[in-house]
Amino acid sequence: MSEADKPWDAVVIGAGFAGLYALHALRARGKRVLVLEAAAGVGGVWYWNRYPGARCDVESLQYSYSFDAELEQQWQWSERYASQAEILRYIEHVADRFDLRRHIRLNTRLVCATFNESQDGWDLLTDDGLRLRAQHCIMATGALSVPRLPAIEAIESFEGPIHHTGAWPHEGVDFSNLRVGVIGTGSSGIQVIPQIARQARQLTVFQRTANFSVPAWNRPLQDQEQQAFKAAYREHRARAREVGTLYEFTDKGAFEVSEHEREQEYERRWNKGGVNFVHAFKDLSTNLAANDTIADFVRARIRAVVKDEQVAQSLCPNDHPLGTKRICVDTGYYETYNRPNVRLVDLKKTPIERFGPQGVRVAGEDIALDALVCATGYDALSGAVLAIDIRGRGGVGLREKWAQGPRTLLGLMCAGFPNLFMITGPGSPSVLVNMIVGIEHHVQWISDCIDHLQQQGHRTIEATVAAQDRWVEHVNAAAHRTLLPMANSWFLGANIPGKPRVFMPYAAKIGVYRRECQEVADQGYAGFILSGA
Ligand code: NA7
């Protein structure tokens, strides 16, 4: 067999934060690695999400790789929360700095992956007919990477342009003088709405579920604060590996302080901005009465900002505890509804009847639209993996195995699919923590595992059904110790009609999870079968 025909040690699917680091880490250990990326550039979600206002809700100094001390010292972030454009520049810089691009095949979508039992490896087929063989296949396909358009009656008959926030045109969109509709008020909607409102002639927001949002108070980063943070980077990163993101955590419960102190604490955190707000008391995510106090605080804020009482009422979330849908972080979101060119349609009261060529009909009224923006979210967590036809032992499909919801061991592998790894897969903390902290951990675990297999002369590693069943139960139990399952969220697939309702991320602290993963490895990969010499 020539060198060119030799199977890859690993083929990585996706060139976002996860795929790039997997490529870098495995190459540093001498592995032959190829990355397949469907897009025309690197960056993953940060390549696609170019809508105005797109920004990370984790502070820039934390939302970055920790694996290279020089990189983290040299890269200068310009704002407290980095914009999509700045994050993409950072990812591109990483790709160049570590000479990763020549190992990435762009414009290439993996369509089919079949485990070859005689070869103990994966046969891969791409959308342009390329066939590859890999000992290991690593899904770095992202948790929020399959955009979903809403299934609304006759939406396809609308004659104006329809843009999904997660697949935004590279050349940008000029909304000047247009009547624009936005469907969706999750993180993306809440970021894009104030921006479009400033440009469009008329903006109509179609809201199905009112969401909680806290102000970002984004601002330029001062040199001094950046330097101070960087001087303590090692301690900050070590702490992040325990807690995910560096918020101000406390041991106090909401009712251990007086009402006045509680309000003051909410006020203080609100004025600091960001997701730190939701960590004001230790029991806000587990005790409904405690959660009501913080939810009431936000509702009072909304009423104080939004002048029209009925609009304010519609904007007040009332069907889920705060934080059980991902909290949003905004810049001027609620204020936007005081603009004369902005209208809110509360779909809970007046659902969309149907689309037509010129707009939308709601409660008997025709609302004319020139353009539609769908900030309607993703087939989250399992969608990107299931978009590929993956066949494991005996030709059994992953879609079949996950028909009742994803089943994994540690969110890293699943029974019947040897040598197939997922980075931040369902059953790992993934979207509940700073994604990059989760990604780096998984890449290191997978790299150690592949090294171990090679050193011990094993050809395959595979989760056992029993260990996987125990893990699925463990993940489910962790979610049910919190209020998280109380919302119809994408955490449990509720945004997709017909998707099985299973709480997918692992709701334990990432430090706890890391130790669980480490114990498994220390015990010679307990719960996995290693085989084949
Ligand atoms: P999200 O958080 O899934 O938000 C999608 C929004 O779209 C949400 O308000 C949905 O309402 C709404 N939606 C979805 N389908 C429809 C239909 N058919 N009709 C009306 N409204 C609809 O996606 P985002 O892109 O905002 O954020 C995803 C994550 O990306 C975010 O958490 C960050 O981590 C980055 P619903 O709440 O389902 O009633």
Side-chain angles (χ1 to χ4, degrees):
M1 188 190 299
S2 77
E3 187 62 16
D5 298 330
K6 241 175 88 180
W8 297 92
D9 290 325
V11 170
V12 177
I13 315 305
F17 269 106
L20 290 186
Y21 181 44
L23 170 60
H24 176 64
L26 288 166
R27 281 193 49 77
R29 294 174 188 230
K31 309 289 186 263
R32 290 179 74 243
V33 190
L34 177 72
V35 174
L36 303 179
E37 167 56 60
V42 299
V45 289
W46 299 109
Y47 174 89
W48 293 106
N49 278 259
R50 297 174 188 237
Y51 61 87
R55 199 171 280 290
C56 187
D57 57 14
V58 175
E59 296 191 23
S60 50
L61 283 159
Q62 296 191 52
Y63 193 76
S64 55
Y65 288 120
S66 74
F67 69 83
D68 188 274
E70 269 186 20
L71 168 70
E72 72 187 0
Q73 290 300 326
Q74 285 171 4
W75 183 267
Q76 293 292 318
W77 293 103
S78 67
E79 292 177 275
R80 178 181 182 190
Y81 295 99
S83 67
Q84 171 274 333
E86 188 167 17
I87 297 173
L88 188 57
R89 276 200 300 281
Y90 171 78
I91 299 176
E92 288 179 338
H93 169 78
V94 169
D96 292 330
R97 184 177 182 121
F98 298 99
D99 191 20
L100 301 177
R101 290 189 197 266
R102 62 201 170 93
H103 310 289
I104 303 170
R105 194 173 194 267
L106 298 172
N107 300 304
T108 307
R109 185 178 287 281
L110 179 68
V111 288
C112 189
T114 310
F115 186 66
N116 183 325
E117 300 198 41
S118 64
Q119 298 288 330
D120 286 334
W122 286 88
D123 291 336
L124 307 176
L125 174 66
T126 70
D127 58 350
D128 58 352
L130 178 72
R131 288 179 190 277
L132 300 163
R133 181 161 290 169
Q135 176 96 47
H136 302 281
C137 186
I138 301 176
M139 295 292 157
T141 38
L144 295 154
S145 51
V146 181
R148 232 191 99 252
L149 286 171
I152 298 175
E153 180 74 19
I155 192 166
E156 67 291 342
S157 69
F158 179 59
E159 286 177 354
I162 301 179
H163 304 293
H164 192 286
T165 45
W168 202 257
H170 281 31
E171 63 282 11
V173 184
D174 184 5
F175 292 111
S176 306
N177 215 24
L178 299 186
R179 294 161 301 180
V180 183
V182 174
I183 303 179
T185 50
S187 295
S188 306
I190 280 174
Q191 288 185 337
V192 82
I193 285 164
Q195 301 284 328
I196 296 178
R198 279 197 235 143
Q199 207 183 48
R201 167 147 58 103
Q202 174 70 38
L203 169 64
T204 309
V205 176
F206 299 93
Q207 171 192 275
R208 184 163 72 183
T209 304
N211 244 314
F212 292 97
S213 187
V214 292
W217 306 128
N218 189 34
R219 53 176 168 74
L221 269 182
Q222 305 300 323
D223 280 353
Q224 222 181 358
E225 77 180 299
Q226 181 145 206
Q227 273 160 22
F229 196 90
K230 286 181 172 178
Y233 241 145
R234 295 280 57 77
E235 296 92 82
H236 291 323
R237 299 296 199 185
R239 177 105 184 100
R241 288 182 196 115
E242 274 303 310
V243 299
T245 315
L246 307 181
Y247 298 120
E248 291 173 78
F249 298 101
T250 163
D251 282 338
K252 273 197 189 142
F255 298 116
E256 287 175 39
V257 300
S258 69
E259 190 180 343
H260 176 68
E261 283 172 273
R262 206 162 49 233
E263 290 293 302
Q264 273 192 327
E265 184 59 8
Y266 293 149
E267 184 88 30
R268 187 182 71 79
R269 288 180 182 249
W270 184 269
N271 291 335
K272 270 186 119 173
V275 177
N276 189 48
F277 177 70
V278 310
H279 299 285
F281 296 102
K282 68 169 183 193
D283 51 356
L284 294 174
S285 60
T286 52
N287 176 335
L288 191 54
N291 193 287
D292 281 342
T293 66
I294 194 167
D296 283 344
F297 178 90
V298 178
R299 286 188 281 257
R301 284 300 172 133
I302 296 170
R303 286 192 205 96
V305 170
V306 179
K307 293 193 178 122
D308 183 303
E309 261 176 49
Q310 269 188 6
V311 174
Q313 196 52 35
S314 287
L315 286 168
C316 284
N318 59 15
D319 68 350
H320 63 282
L322 183 144
T324 55
K325 281 186 177 229
R326 208 185 140 110
I327 188 102
C328 303
V329 178
D330 73 274
T331 296
Y333 176 64
Y334 294 116
E335 290 82 351
T336 299
Y337 292 93
N338 292 334
R339 296 177 63 104
N341 68 332
V342 175
R343 170 180 176 191
L344 179 71
V345 174
D346 184 343
L347 299 179
K348 287 255 160 76
K349 290 186 191 141
T350 52
I352 293 176
E353 285 169 30
R354 64 188 325 276
F355 266 87
Q358 309 302 323
V360 66
R361 172 164 275 248
V362 177
E365 177 194 351
D366 286 318
I367 301 176
L369 299 174
D370 302 308
L372 179 67
V373 172
C374 292
T376 42
Y378 299 87
D379 187 352
L381 295 143
S382 56
V385 173
L386 290 178
I388 303 161
D389 184 11
I390 300 177
R391 310 225 153 235
R393 281 203 196 279
V396 178
L398 189 67
R399 290 173 191 156
E400 226 172 285
K401 288 268 185 177
W402 284 9
Q404 303 306 315
R407 301 186 75 76
T408 70
L409 178 51
L410 301 174
L412 277 159
M413 300 195 84
C414 31
F417 299 82
N419 296 5
L420 180 83
F421 296 92
M422 286 167 289
I423 301 179
T424 63
S428 74
S430 68
V431 290
L432 297 181
V433 297
N434 177 350
M435 284 300 289
I436 301 181
V437 176
I439 284 169
E440 288 193 329
H441 169 235
H442 270 187
V443 168
Q444 285 152 11
W445 193 94
I446 293 167
S447 306
D448 288 345
C449 176
I450 292 176
D451 266 350
H452 177 85
L453 295 177
Q454 290 188 346
Q455 284 156 12
Q456 301 299 314
H458 295 297
R459 290 191 52 80
T460 59
I461 178 166
E462 180 179 354
T464 68
V465 172
Q468 178 171 285
D469 286 349
R470 282 195 300 275
W471 185 255
V472 170
E473 260 180 48
H474 183 63
V475 170
N476 202 29
H480 283 88
R481 282 194 291 274
T482 73
L483 304 174
L484 283 163
M486 289 181 70
N488 286 322
S489 69
W490 50 258
F491 294 144
L492 41 67
N495 63 327
I496 309 275
K499 190 166 171 172
R501 292 208 177 195
V502 175
F503 195 86
M504 291 179 275
Y506 178 37
K509 274 231 163 67
I510 187 151
V512 170
Y513 171 71
R514 289 173 70 96
R515 282 186 282 282
E516 289 172 324
C517 291
Q518 190 57 47
E519 264 168 39
V520 165
D522 290 347
Q523 290 164 12
Y525 295 89
F528 292 90
I529 299 165
L530 281 58
S531 63

